[in-house]
Each structure stands twice: as C-alpha cells, then as structure tokens.
Amino acid sequence: MNRLSILSIATVAITSVAANTASAKASKTAPGLREPAAERYVEAVQLYPYAEGALYRLFTVPGQVSDIMLEPGETIVSLAAGDTARWVVGDTTSGSGTSKRAHILIKPLTPGLSTNLIAATDRRVYRVQLVSRSKNPMIAVRWSYPHSDFITTVSPRDARAADAPVSRGVDVASLHFGYRISGDKPDWRPLRAFDDGRQSWIEFPPSIATSEAPPLFLIDDEGEAALVNYRMTGHFYVVDRIFSVAELRLGGKKQAIVRITRLAPGKRKGR
C-alpha cells in the first residue's frame, strides 16, 4: 500500500471519529431533549411529562427488553426506527376494552449504539432517542398528559367517581403552564403546575395516592407562609385561586420543601 493510500485511510478515520464525536455532543444537547430523572420513577417505570415536539431519552442494555408504554386506548398508526439492523423493535398490547394499552418493545444488539424512534398514534407523535449501554437499563417508560390527565384523572380512592373529571368547564386553550418547581426532590415532588386564570392545579406522580401527601402553603411578599385550602382529586391538588409562590412541606427535623413559582408568560422555567 502506498503512502497516499495510507494518508487517505488515516484522513477518513480521523474524519469519521470527529463526526462521531460531534454527533455524540449534538445528541447530548439536542433541542427539546428530555432526560430521565430519579424523582419521576414510579416503581420501575420512568414517567415523562408529555410535550408536543419533545425528544425523550431511553437507555437500554443488550439482552434486555425496554417497554415504551402508551396511553390506555391509544392505537399505533406507524412505527419507524433509524437503525433496524442493530435494534429489535416490536409492539404488543396488554389489557382489554378501555384499559387496553399498546407497548413498544425495544432491544439493542450491542452497547454503544444510538438511534431514534418515531411512533405515530391516533392521538399524538412520540419521538424517542434510543441509547444502548452495558448496564443500568430503563425497564419501562410512560407519559403523563397535561390535558387528558387533567380532564379525566380520578381518585383511585373512590371508584364510584370513575367517570368524573378533575374539573369541569375549563378552557384548555387558556391554561398557563409557566411554573418553576424547585427545591428538594422527594418521591412526591410535583410533575407540573398550571392555572386557567381562576384556579390552580398541581400534578403529582401517581404514587401520591399511596403515600403521605404534603400540605400546601402560600408564601407572601414578606416570605411568610400560610396554609391554604385545597382539595385532592386523583393525583392533582386543586386550589381555587392563583398564587405567585407556594411551598409543599412534609417531615419533621429533616423537612422536605418544594417551591412552586408562577412565571410571567414567556419566561424560561429553569430548575
């Protein structure tokens, strides 16, 4: 092999490594990328808040299947993966009737892989970044849905209310989701907060139904806290007013405190 050929091969190799490095960096900073978080696990299932256009990360491991769980009653229309040679992608269902749920099953052939998955259903589109590694897989993921959960979620403590919505007469288009949630990260840390200009709602992980619920305090301009009236419906707190700052507090000496701050329209949430 002559020197020119060796240099050509070396140039291609360097270019390939640089491209892969750039691609890896881009994947870490992809716009709209949602990462898994410890406080959003419900047992072995990572609960992502659904947002139109967002990209969700799913970590997998060779030899194990990861389960992407869709909303009950949702039907898969089309399913496409970028790399079908090194990833096994299938689908199945569980349950029946109104509780029938579609599942997308993912298994990589080797660690160190990355591709994307797009699942279109009769309700929405899911965009998932698939990453394989050698250990610590995400066993399952599913989503909470701010609109449909808000309208239809009911308390598991009262089966007779199975057809009752969380709130009635709410204009979904008027909902304001600009809230920052900060502070400690207990298991009950809220997923989001929102309001319609009259009432406020705080959404918790579904596990709140089987754990101790924290009381809600409103914080005034002087920093003083006052307990406020609210009611719990499903995994939502419903407050019949708008607040600027509130705190959820639970515990004794090592009290967990989570602050909820209402932001002006257009302001970034942060954490």
Side-chain angles (χ1 to χ4, degrees):
M1 182 180 294
N2 59 36
R3 186 171 180 274
L4 180 60
S5 297
I6 294 174
L7 287 175
S8 299
I9 293 172
T11 300
V12 170
I14 292 171
T15 303
S16 176
V17 170
N20 289 337
T21 302
S23 175
K25 289 181 178 179
S27 68
K28 293 180 181 179
T29 58
L33 180 62
R34 303 292 195 269
E35 298 281 6
E39 67 270 16
R40 289 201 303 265
Y41 271 98
V42 179
E43 301 299 340
V45 181
Q46 171 72 193
L47 182 63
Y48 277 124
Y50 182 83
E52 180 64 35
L55 178 64
Y56 303 92
R57 182 105 71 180
L58 174 62
F59 290 105
T60 64
V61 166
Q64 297 195 39
V65 174
S66 293
D67 180 11
I68 299 175
M69 307 165 62
L70 305 188
E71 187 178 28
E74 192 169 15
T75 301
I76 297 173
V77 176
S78 65
L79 192 59
D83 180 356
T84 56
R86 297 178 296 176
W87 293 81
V88 178
V89 179
D91 65 274
T92 187
T93 60
S94 65
S96 60
T98 56
S99 63
K100 186 175 182 179
R101 185 193 293 268
H103 300 257
I104 302 171
L105 307 179
I106 306 293
K107 183 172 72 172
L109 299 185
T110 62
L113 302 178
S114 180
T115 191
N116 72 313
L117 174 79
I118 298 178
T121 75
D122 58 346
R123 298 180 184 177
R124 55 186 66 88
V125 176
Y126 299 87
R127 299 169 178 87
V128 183
Q129 183 184 55
L130 305 176
V131 178
S132 66
R133 55 190 183 185
S134 58
K135 59 182 180 179
N136 299 327
M138 293 169 66
I139 301 301
V141 299
R142 68 181 182 86
W143 285 264
S144 63
Y145 307 91
H147 290 175
S148 58
D149 279 3
F150 166 62
I151 293 171
T152 63
T153 299
V154 296
S155 172
R157 299 174 181 142
D158 189 359
R160 292 171 300 177
D163 294 324
V166 172
S167 297
R168 299 180 185 275
V170 175
D171 179 8
V172 174
S174 71
L175 294 178
H176 172 72
F177 289 90
Y179 283 80
R180 178 189 294 120
I181 298 177
S182 58
D184 295 327
K185 297 183 178 181
D187 292 342
W188 48 260
R189 181 183 168 109
L191 300 175
R192 64 171 66 83
F194 51 96
D195 69 75
D196 68 347
R198 299 182 303 107
Q199 291 180 305
S200 303
W201 294 267
I202 302 171
E203 182 184 1
F204 293 88
S207 58
I208 193 72
T210 57
S211 62
E212 186 176 0
L216 179 68
F217 297 85
L218 298 192
I219 310 299
D220 64 21
D221 293 339
E222 304 299 323
E224 297 296 324
L227 193 64
V228 64
N229 290 328
Y230 60 90
R231 58 188 178 278
M232 189 170 189
T233 305
H235 52 274
F236 290 85
Y237 278 7
V238 183
V239 186
D240 291 324
R241 58 176 292 178
I242 305 300
F243 58 81
S244 296
V245 182
E247 286 184 350
L248 295 157
R249 302 177 180 182
L250 186 63
K253 292 183 179 180
K254 295 184 178 179
Q255 190 176 56
I257 301 176
V258 177
R259 174 165 285 215
I260 305 170
T261 306
R262 191 178 193 270
L263 305 178
K267 188 174 181 180
R268 295 177 63 86
K269 292 183 180 182
R271 284 289 173 184

